[in-house]
Amino acid sequence: MADKRISYKVDGDVQGVSFRYYTCKEARSIGVTGFVYNASDGTVQGEAQGSDDAIKAFVQYLNKGPSAARVSGVEQSEISPKQGESGFSQK
């Protein structure tokens, strides 16, 4: 089964609330690879790759975030998968 890869951007009160930490934890438990980082515009952004179901579950998590976060929106777009990526990291 071919992996799907997305680029994502999470808007809202998402910095300073452990969003990146919990995103890494969630991605690893679902089996998604990729990365997450705090962007200078106050959003959290990154890329994620996995099976269609894993990506759907990951996006559901992004829309919710950790309990201290207030997510106002998630933008995502499909991009080309990367070969040989292992794990999910914070940048």
Side-chain angles (χ1 to χ4, degrees), residues 50-67:
S51 69
D52 198 41
D53 287 345
I55 293 297
K56 282 179 186 163
F58 182 73
V59 170
Q60 281 183 330
Y61 166 77
L62 292 177
N63 278 285
K64 188 175 59 173
S67 59

Side-chain angles (χ1 to χ4, degrees), residues 3 5 8 20 26 29 32-33 47 52 54-55 57 70 81-82:
D3 277 353
R5 187 174 189 88
Y8 60 88
R20 290 174 303 151
E26 189 70 17
S29 75
V32 170
T33 62
E47 296 180 5
D52 198 41
I55 293 297
R70 298 287 170 262
K82 287 187 179 167

Side-chain angles (χ1 to χ4, degrees), residues 4-37:
K4 177 178 179 179
R5 187 174 189 88
I6 60 164
S7 126
Y8 60 88
K9 177 178 176 179
V10 185
D11 287 298
D13 296 327
V14 293
Q15 290 191 8
V17 293
S18 299
F19 201 101
R20 290 174 303 151
Y21 171 80
Y22 285 107
T23 299
C24 284
K25 196 172 169 183
E26 189 70 17
R28 290 172 185 147
S29 75
I30 296 170
V32 170
T33 62
F35 60 87
V36 62
Y37 65 93

Side-chain angles (χ1 to χ4, degrees), residues 70-82:
R70 298 287 170 262
V71 176
S72 61
V74 176
E75 295 173 33
Q76 69 178 68
S77 58
E78 199 164 333
I79 58 175
S80 297
K82 287 187 179 167

